[in-house]
Each structure stands twice: as C-alpha cells, then as structure tokens.
Amino acid sequence: MDIIVLEYKVTDLYTFLDKMQMYELNWLLPNLYYVTKQQLESTRFIAYMIAQSQSAKQLKVTDIMTFEWDKKTMEEKANNIPTKEEIEKLKAKVKARETEINIEKRKHT
C-alpha cells in the first residue's frame, strides 16, 4: 500500500494508514490512472510525433497507444448520436418556443 501513497501521491502516509477506511479503497484503486493520466498523455503524444515524422501514412494518436479512457470516450460519442425521433422532438420544441417568443414580441409592440 505504500506504493499508492508514495508513487501516486494520493495522500500522506498518516492519513492513508490511520484515517482512511477500507471502503474508500473501492473508489480509489480503480481510479488511480487519473493521477498519471497527464504524464501518459504526454508520453503518447511524444511517441506519436516521432512515429508520424517517420511514417508516410497519416497516423492517429490512438494508433500509438490506446488507453482505457479513450475507449470510454468512443463509447460516449457513439451513445450521444440522436435518433431521428429525438431530432424531430427537438425541432418541434424549438418551433413551439419560437412561436411563444413571437407572441410575446407582439404583446410588447
């Protein structure tokens, strides 16, 4: 457990050993990669720049290294695409709001 405190700098040793409860580790351990995320992203970008300068084809940063948060981002993008029904509902809401605004403008003139 000293690795969590010393390497990841999560908290000081006194707090970790004496004050933290075991249930707090259930959240802490799966999210440790956030501590080193910036360093990992920097390393990946440097590797990407070196590889891209030596490659004839266009590379993506994720071609060099893929991290867990990249997969989550791709899944979120796929899940955020609205359906045709949702688009139609939003258009109807916009149209109704536009009508309300026009009515308000007419009252004030």
Side-chain angles (χ1 to χ4, degrees), residues 58-93:
Q58 184 68 31
L59 299 173
K60 293 185 277 184
V61 177
T62 53
D63 292 339
I64 305 300
M65 287 185 245
T66 304
F67 297 118
E68 190 65 33
W69 57 84
D70 292 329
K71 294 174 187 170
K72 289 179 184 176
T73 304
M74 288 180 217
E75 290 172 5
E76 288 172 2
K77 285 181 182 177
N79 292 336
N80 286 337
I81 298 172
T83 63
K84 288 183 180 181
E85 293 173 355
E86 291 172 333
I87 292 171
E88 293 303 320
K89 286 180 184 178
L90 288 172
K91 283 181 180 179
K93 283 184 181 180

Side-chain angles (χ1 to χ4, degrees), residues 16-103:
F16 186 77
L17 293 175
D18 295 334
K19 293 185 178 184
M20 286 184 75
Q21 302 296 318
M22 288 302 289
Y23 67 86
E24 292 175 297
L25 290 177
N26 290 334
W27 177 86
L28 186 65
L29 293 177
N31 294 298
L32 276 179
Y33 68 88
Y34 283 113
V35 176
T36 59
K37 183 176 178 182
Q38 182 64 37
Q39 184 179 9
L40 291 170
E41 288 283 356
S42 296
T43 303
R44 174 168 67 173
F45 190 71
I46 291 169
Y48 164 74
M49 295 300 289
I50 292 168
Q52 185 62 60
S53 68
Q54 302 297 319
S55 176
K57 67 178 188 175
Q58 184 68 31
L59 299 173
K60 293 185 277 184
V61 177
T62 53
D63 292 339
I64 305 300
M65 287 185 245
T66 304
F67 297 118
E68 190 65 33
W69 57 84
D70 292 329
K71 294 174 187 170
K72 289 179 184 176
T73 304
M74 288 180 217
E75 290 172 5
E76 288 172 2
K77 285 181 182 177
N79 292 336
N80 286 337
I81 298 172
T83 63
K84 288 183 180 181
E85 293 173 355
E86 291 172 333
I87 292 171
E88 293 303 320
K89 286 180 184 178
L90 288 172
K91 283 181 180 179
K93 283 184 181 180
V94 168
K95 195 71 165 172
R97 183 67 181 135
E98 186 178 7
T99 305
E100 290 174 15
I101 291 172
N102 288 336
I103 291 171

